Amino acid sequence: MSDDHVYLTLAEGHEDDTRWAYGTGFEDPLHGVDTAVPEGVDAVALAGECVALADDALVSAQRLAEWVTRAPELEEEVALANIGLDLLGQARLLYSRAGQVDGTGRDEDAYAYFRDASDFRNVRLAELPRGDFAFAVVRLLVLSSWRLAHFRRLGAHPDPVLAAVAAKGVKELTYHRQYAAEWCVRLGDGTDESHRRTRAALDEVAPYLGELHAAYDVRDEVAEDLRQVTEAAGLTLPVYRPLPGSGRAGEHTEHLAPLLTELQGVARAHPEATW
Amino acid sequence: MTTTHAAEAPPPDAPDGLQEHFDATIARDQRIEPRDWMPDGYRKTLIRQIAQHAHSEIIGMQPEGEWITRAPSLRRKAILFAKVQDEAGHGLYLYSAAETLGADRDDLTQRLVEGRQKYSSIFNYPTLSFADVGVIGWFVDGAAICNQVPLCRSSYGPYARAMVRICKEESFHQRQGYELLMTMMRGTDAQREMVQDAVNRWWWPSLMMFGPPDDASPNSARSMAWKIKRHSNDELRRRFVDMTVPQAEKLGVTLPDPELRWNEETGHHDFGTPDWDELMRVIKGDGPCNDRRMERRRTAHEDGAWVREAATAHAAKQAARARKGAAA
């Protein structure tokens, strides 16, 4: 029957097979972008920046993947997966860029699967355990607000590839921040229990805020986002003492290594395999 | 296919006339729409079937979802993450289709978590290696396509339309699964063994997805008369086997059935009989993962209760504030 042709042609070759990864969309976002490192750009520093931003995204996507089949409502199931997929897509582009410029020629999987926790440069907030839904949306609000402010500046980066990745990411992160902000307000305003849980999530997140700076200091912008949302939610941002140490320097909590063990286990058990 | 609306062909007032109008619509291969009159049995059968289908999409996220965090490349991780997300989306459309018949999503979910409604028995089997992700795409999505493509012509409009979109996405998933297996078969010996092992474990449960044999399928005849269902279980099962055999050859795996062979006379493959006792056991709750699947779904639903309550409370407060603002 003609309506089954997709099944019947399954064993035939398909030229577009390499495009079957929604994480980066069907369009190559780097199409037409010159991938040579521009003169005057420090390749080592550029690679380091790409890896750090990719690590934030990959570790966040991994935590969001833990929500699959556990979300409070089907709409949230779909939304959290969307955000996870966007971040995974960002991570893949940034790792690929790092491999192009750091002279090693490594591919995205070499960075994701064959580095140890001490080599990861993600901020520690990203690696904290999944927590409840209030923690998920408060963490997402903070991380997306920070990443958005950062990506806006990176849009003018002298490296055209990083600038292109950032420009694409701005649209995605704007939605992530919006989604998180709406839920923070709903939960802060909703019931006594949701209010209590949201306040507890803010308490848990606050000590990690001090870590959120990188090439650009965007802490004031993040603080303003948080002030607006917490005010609308009837909450106040707790006074906190920043934790010493920094994920950007390879100093992590005890939660990163088990996350990576799960992420990397199959790939490392079959180092010669192709997937 | 044309659809029929009450406005175009107003049914006669008498209940007898309504039944005749309904029968005539079915006979003309036209569609029944939500506001058309329909027999109670038709409505109930559809709600049961659509809800079961929606539940299957949602429970079906679990076996593969287990592998998103462990997928061995970032490309496979993205593909799998997106696939499982699509299943959540399918669940959403289907619950919406059921709601057009007067059902309520919360109530259907409650029936699922209390074990009063079923989901496809295939999802009660475990996923033991990453090859299972590929084999589920190839067999399970493949069997789902065989079952569901005819449902795109189902007599109930909203269900038929939901199935068109779902089938397109399922076809994509099936190709992705098969492509993963092709890649693994070109890889290491260990990968080839994983693929064959997954094929061995999933083949018979996949054949059972078409349901019991025709002579033991009590609801089939009526559903076929109402054109909710278009082909018999055995017919669809045979089609699945005929389509899958050449794909297995091309892939280089052996289907675990010593009786499987081409029959010149019938123009179809002969194949062995699935273990129907096993199917009955799994349907009744004694499959390898029934308890775990239900427990996960129940826990997610219960853990999310405070979030849903908060959203409702916030919406009510917002509405009250808006009223107060308008009054002031």
Side-chain angles (χ1 to χ4, degrees), chain A residues 4 20 75 189 262 275, chain B residues 69 76 79 105 239 317:
Chain A
D4 287 320
W20 290 354
E75 284 81 353
D189 182 53
E262 182 171 345
W275 306 96
Chain B
T69 56
R76 292 295 172 196
I79 289 173
R105 197 212 302 184
R239 246 164 97 184
K317 285 183 187 177

Side-chain angles (χ1 to χ4, degrees), chain A residues 30-31 44 63 95 135 181 191 243 269 274:
Chain A
L30 299 182
H31 180 75
V44 175
R63 287 297 183 215
Y95 284 138
F135 180 74
T191 61
L243 282 179
T274 44

Side-chain angles (χ1 to χ4, degrees), chain B residues 178 182 185 192 196 247-254:
Chain B
Y178 192 73
M182 284 294 236
M185 291 302 284
R192 278 184 285 276
Q196 183 62 57
Q247 294 163 0
E249 279 165 14
K250 163 111 186 192
L251 191 60
V253 296
T254 308

